[in-house]
Amino acid sequence: MSETKQTRLALHWQILIGMLVGGLIGILLNLNAREYSITLVGDAAGSFTRVELQDVNSMVLITTYEGSEETGSYVIGRSPVYPGITHYDMDEFRAEYPELYWMFQQYGRSWARWFSDWTDRLGDLFLRMLKMVAIPLVVFSLTTGVLGLGKAERIGKMFGRTMLYYLCTSFLAIVTGLLFVNVVKPGERAKSATTVATDAIVESAEPISVMLFSQLEKMVPTNPMHALAEGDFLSIICFTIVFALCALLAGGKTLETIRDGAEAGFEVMMKMTMAVIALAPLGVCFLMLNATALNGTDVFAPLAWYMITVLLALLFHACVTLPLIIKFMAKRNPLDFARCMSPALLTAFSSASSNGTLPLTMASVEKRAGISNQTSSFVLPLGATINMDGTALYEAVAVLFIAQHTMDEPLSLGLQITVALTALLVSIGAAGIPHAGLVMMVIVLQAVGLPLEMQGLILAVDRVLDMFRTSVNVWSDSCGCAVIDRISKTAAPANPAQVPES
Ligand code: ASP
């Protein structure tokens, strides 16, 4: 047994291979999906006498005829890139055109699409497992962490340091994004690209003060059980901290019982998490396969400069700013630390969800990077909820890109500062789920008076950029964990029991 264990590849290599294999198969399927074309003539679909189905750049374009008259064209299943053609997602399409949907199922689906639908479900199964362990893991881990810290004062200090780190790095990320977008000017370069559609359906957002206040309200859940059931991280974190603090106040046998229970629960949840993590190479393979199989690459062309700007800025933040912080503040080798965190970073990339990745982040930080549970249990769940450097940077670049594309004059310095501040607040309010940044961008657009429908410009490439920014979000949380751990250890003796009460 031990021999086989030794010959097995390290987890991060397995995940990387899973990702590459999934990505490659997806790209091949994507090529296959493009060749697909079918024409049906007959009355199998009731009133339609002729239906043409063609795959255009991996979208399915359906043209229907009644007699000899064309009645409409529909694009199904992807972002709108051709103005004037109605866009449906698959469920809408099924509800509105059941007969056509039936035909589509029967004749219109290439086996590539069929295959990627199944891998989508399998990838989702992996994400469900991660979500299944996330909430109990956070509750037990945070309870043991707070009980280990021993005093409200120490928890307050850790909270202060964590918030300071998160605000500073998010701010640095935004400044990086603004610098890159002002130098590269992707919006001006894309002005000539006429194929970019802007017919997104965007709802207006609630004012920023309301959004921030609702975050504050979440910190006081009226029903903690409901918050648990809903998986509302901010409510769960706050209630668990207060619960553990009250257990400390109660002391004696009560405290011992809670401590024993939390430690036992944490051990069990960690075992369960490790079992789920063993499936990560496969899960990541499925997620990548689906992401690449369904995204036509030609939508990237008009947005190439925009994508390059976002990616360069993210790369700078992830490979220069954060490693410097790791080197000088956490006194760790950034490369070694990145290697320890790679299972979480790769999973964040494939799933585009920092909440979903949280169990892996916690396990990697504790088991691979050797950071104490007292720090990680506190810093990471908070980070997955409110610290999003990648998202903050992305908001800044995307809104400036839209401004450059839409307006003749560049956005004034005052308005760019407004973008920076709202992007910071929006990144705090965004949930750690796919496309959350895109949804929240409406608030930044509103703040500087840009037309909301211009968001349609960037819809087509959001998923790809989401993968990168989510990895940066998780990377920043992990770096924060290492920094806070280092500061806490140098500021206080390792064993809290030896610290005299003040
Ligand atoms: N998907 C990102 C995350 O989970 C949020 C975003 O859309 O920017 O961290």
Side-chain angles (χ1 to χ4, degrees):
M1 276 295 277
S2 61
E3 268 172 33
T4 36
K5 261 192 182 160
Q6 273 169 12
T7 52
R8 269 179 65 178
L9 274 177
L11 182 67
H12 54 272
W13 285 115
Q14 290 181 36
I15 297 181
L16 189 66
I17 291 171
M19 218 171 101
L20 293 177
V21 169
L24 202 71
I25 299 176
I27 289 169
L28 293 176
L29 288 179
N30 199 326
L31 295 178
N32 168 282
R34 278 162 178 240
E35 286 160 10
Y36 158 78
S37 164
I38 189 168
T39 303
L40 299 174
V41 182
D43 58 358
S47 61
F48 296 105
T49 53
R50 188 176 135 91
V51 178
E52 276 185 8
L53 299 143
Q54 308 165 254
D55 203 277
V56 183
N57 301 332
S58 88
M59 288 178 301
V60 177
L61 176 67
I62 298 195
T63 314
T64 61
Y65 297 86
E66 222 164 329
S68 59
E69 232 179 290
E70 189 172 336
T71 55
S73 298
Y74 311 92
V75 174
I76 307 169
R78 268 268 311 281
S79 339
V81 264
Y82 291 105
I85 295 178
T86 316
H87 172 259
Y88 290 100
D89 73 23
M90 200 55 90
D91 290 338
E92 278 173 342
F93 181 68
R94 179 172 35 203
E96 203 155 328
Y97 294 98
E99 315 91 338
L100 264 185
Y101 179 76
W102 175 81
M103 291 186 102
F104 176 68
Q105 290 290 347
Q106 293 294 310
Y107 309 103
R109 296 176 72 87
S110 65
W111 64 270
R113 251 164 223 290
W114 181 87
F115 193 69
S116 65
D117 272 2
W118 277 103
T119 52
D120 183 29
R121 299 187 86 150
L122 288 169
D124 190 54
L125 210 56
F126 170 63
L127 283 184
R128 289 176 76 102
M129 287 184 214
L130 282 176
K131 285 180 190 157
M132 175 181 81
V133 294
I135 305 290
L137 181 68
V138 167
V139 170
F140 288 125
S141 170
L142 194 52
T143 311
T144 40
V146 172
L147 296 185
L149 280 170
K151 278 200 305 184
E153 188 191 306
R154 242 176 264 144
I155 295 156
K157 264 191 193 152
M158 188 171 283
F159 182 76
R161 286 172 188 146
T162 307
M163 291 306 287
L164 189 68
Y165 168 88
Y166 284 162
L167 286 177
C168 289
T169 54
S170 295
F171 186 71
L172 285 175
I174 293 171
V175 171
T176 307
L178 287 178
L179 284 177
F180 274 84
V181 76
N182 277 299
V183 171
V184 181
K185 294 193 179 16
E188 286 176 15
R189 293 173 197 262
K191 264 183 179 151
S192 55
T194 48
T195 49
V196 182
T198 57
D199 51 350
I201 305 145
V202 188
E203 287 166 19
S204 71
E206 54 190 16
I208 195 145
S209 51
V210 176
M211 179 206 85
L212 282 180
F213 199 76
S214 68
Q215 287 293 80
L216 199 67
E217 279 173 341
K218 273 191 195 156
M219 297 173 94
V220 190
T222 48
N223 181 350
M225 292 304 149
H226 182 73
L228 275 176
E230 290 290 307
D232 199 334
F233 273 110
L234 214 50
S235 308
I236 294 169
I237 293 168
C238 287
F239 183 77
T240 309
I241 292 175
V242 175
F243 181 84
L245 283 176
C246 291
L248 281 171
L249 285 180
K253 194 159 167 20
T254 308
L255 176 59
E256 286 317 307
T257 313
I258 300 285
R259 194 193 303 274
D260 288 350
E263 277 172 8
F266 178 53
E267 205 182 318
V268 173
M269 285 321 299
M270 213 36 161
K271 286 249 179 303
M272 209 186 276
T273 305
M274 297 314 280
V276 176
I277 288 174
L279 294 173
L282 214 58
V284 161
C285 175
F286 292 138
L287 290 169
M288 277 303 287
L289 196 156
N290 196 52
T292 45
L294 293 184
N295 278 302
T297 44
D298 53 333
V299 294
F300 297 161
L303 295 166
W305 280 108
Y306 162 65
M307 293 182 75
I308 289 172
T309 313
V310 175
L311 294 180
L312 282 179
L314 285 175
L315 205 71
F316 185 87
H317 188 67
C319 299
V320 179
T321 312
L322 292 174
L324 283 175
I325 291 176
I326 277 286
K327 175 104 187 105
F328 293 107
M329 293 189 67
K331 307 266 188 254
R332 278 175 180 260
N333 179 327
L335 263 182
D336 283 348
F337 188 60
R339 202 171 298 126
C340 293
M341 293 312 302
S342 53
L345 300 178
L346 295 172
T347 307
F349 184 80
S350 325
S351 66
S353 167
S354 35
N355 277 2
T357 311
L358 184 61
L360 257 135
T361 319
M362 291 179 83
S364 302
V365 150
E366 286 182 33
K367 302 259 178 220
R368 294 168 61 100
I371 289 173
S372 77
N373 166 256
Q374 285 167 15
T375 310
S376 70
S377 67
F378 188 84
V379 176
L380 289 178
L382 207 61
T385 320
I386 61 170
N387 180 47
M388 297 198 180
D389 290 10
T391 304
L393 181 157
Y394 163 77
E395 300 287 333
V397 176
V399 171
L400 265 269
F401 168 76
I402 290 173
Q404 289 170 353
H405 188 275
T406 319
M407 296 161 45
D408 296 329
E409 294 286 306
L411 219 54
S412 68
L413 186 66
L415 283 180
Q416 293 208 21
I417 293 174
T418 310
V419 169
L421 291 177
T422 28
L424 183 68
L425 297 176
V426 154
S427 72
I428 293 173
I433 54 172
H435 297 301
L438 186 77
V439 177
M440 301 294 278
M441 189 185 297
V442 179
I443 295 176
V444 192
L445 288 171
Q446 265 179 350
V448 287
L450 282 167
L452 304 188
E453 64 278 5
M454 290 311 284
Q455 217 188 9
L457 276 173
I458 51 169
L459 279 183
V461 295
D462 187 67
R463 177 68 193 198
V464 180
L465 296 179
D466 198 2
M467 295 162 95
F468 286 95
R469 64 181 189 254
T470 307
S471 299
V472 175
N473 290 345
V474 170
W475 177 225
S476 171
D477 294 346
S478 319
C479 294
C481 207
V483 170
I484 308 294
D485 197 53
R486 167 84 195 180
I487 295 175
S488 310
K489 274 186 184 145
T490 42
N495 182 357
Q498 292 168 359
V499 182
E501 295 284 325
S502 54

